[in-house]
Amino acid sequence: MQLLIDAGNTRVKWGIADAAMTLPLAADRLHWHRLGAVERSELEQLASAWHGLPVQRVLVSNVAGAALRERLQTLLQAAFSSQVEIEWFAAQADLAGVHNAYRQPQQLGCDRFASAIGAHALFPQRALIVATCGTATTVDAVTSNGVFIGGMILPGLGVMATSLALNTAQLPQIHEISALPQLFADNTNDAIVAGCIAAQVGAIERAVAAHRQRQGEVLCVLAGGAGKLLTPYLAVACENVDNLVLIGLHVVATGRS
């Protein structure tokens, strides 16, 4: 049994894929034996969540730095003993059907690489824009034959709104971002949300348009906490996928090439 972990800037997600979740992946075969998530401040809850699981291998994507890696290492060794193999996933030039065309492949964020692998496995032979909308928003281009071309990184929806409150004298802090009935808002709070949504959607649509010039038909794959919120505002074909990093790790763990 393999434990997959997506350690992000805000939350730590984890999953154990069901035996039916075999390669090649299809959207209707995304079944998990166990699945969970905790805020980083609640990391110790993972010990009880993992207790008793017959795990032999752990594959971790960690973008949250050395301190979180050390905490996870300690938790994993306590939960499964030092005999369990722990692998820290990292980007490389070629893996699981995806060629990484980053100038220095190992510098690509491991979460972005895992998401590209997961999206390519779910939608093979299709040109993709993979937009992960979390603390940061990443918008990456993958060709139909699995070449990760590159992408863009911008502040996530919440970070955009918070930056306005921190750097202006009279704009309020937005504590919750939800869908708006109209894009041109009639109050300041909604105007901030509308601007942040427009910026996110604009970056994604611009990426799709640019990728389409070279690849023809392009599908946008949306992931991350804000993905579903942004979907109604996008004027491009898109698919929402939960736990895309975990799916990519599953592809690597079961079909490494």
Side-chain angles (χ1 to χ4, degrees):
M1 185 174 284
Q2 300 183 96
L3 173 63
L4 311 171
I5 300 175
D6 170 18
N9 291 298
T10 304
R11 293 197 300 167
V12 175
K13 300 179 182 180
W14 63 275
I16 296 174
D18 189 85
M21 197 160 135
T22 55
L23 297 173
L25 288 176
D28 60 352
R29 299 186 68 181
L30 297 178
H31 305 296
W32 297 90
H33 175 66
R34 295 285 297 274
L35 198 63
V38 298
E39 301 294 323
R40 284 183 56 184
S41 60
E42 302 170 341
L43 205 63
E44 303 305 321
Q45 293 182 9
L46 293 174
S48 59
W50 293 339
H51 179 71
L53 294 177
V55 170
Q56 291 87 38
R57 182 189 179 200
V58 183
L59 183 58
V60 189
S61 166
N62 171 39
V63 297
L68 183 61
R69 173 171 172 153
E70 290 180 9
R71 292 179 66 193
L72 283 172
Q73 182 94 23
T74 300
L75 283 168
L76 288 166
Q77 289 179 342
F80 305 118
S81 82
S82 58
Q83 302 303 313
V84 171
E85 177 188 357
I86 302 173
E87 180 178 351
W88 300 91
F89 180 71
Q92 53 187 273
D94 291 278
L95 185 64
V98 174
H99 172 70
N100 180 359
Y102 231 47
R103 186 178 302 174
Q104 294 182 301
Q106 67 276 13
Q107 288 189 353
L108 175 64
C110 57
D111 57 339
R112 293 170 67 193
F113 193 46
S115 292
I117 289 171
H120 182 63
L122 287 171
F123 307 101
Q125 300 179 340
R126 299 191 67 176
L128 305 172
I129 288 295
V130 183
T132 302
C133 309
T135 305
T137 294
T138 58
V139 186
D140 295 316
V142 181
T143 68
S144 58
N145 60 343
V147 177
F148 179 98
I149 298 174
M152 59 184 78
I153 303 172
L154 59 153
L157 201 56
V159 173
M160 277 189 173
T162 297
S163 69
L164 284 172
L166 292 175
N167 294 285
T168 59
Q170 298 184 24
L171 292 180
Q173 172 66 63
I174 305 299
H175 296 287
E176 183 176 351
I177 296 178
S178 56
L180 298 174
Q182 59 183 9
L183 193 60
F184 295 110
D186 60 4
N187 63 86
T188 300
N189 281 24
D190 284 355
I192 292 172
V193 173
C196 294
I197 289 175
Q200 301 283 313
V201 168
I204 295 169
E205 291 182 347
R206 184 176 176 85
V208 169
H211 200 29
R212 188 181 288 147
Q213 290 181 352
R214 295 184 178 182
Q215 291 285 304
E217 183 182 353
V218 172
L219 174 67
C220 178
V221 180
L222 282 175
K228 287 184 174 63
L229 189 150
L230 294 175
T231 300
Y233 302 97
L234 283 164
V236 296
C238 60
E239 292 276 355
N240 275 282
V241 178
D242 293 327
N243 303 305
L244 188 56
V245 171
L246 294 181
I247 292 169
L249 294 179
H250 173 68
V251 173
V252 170
T254 56
R256 179 183 295 274
S257 60

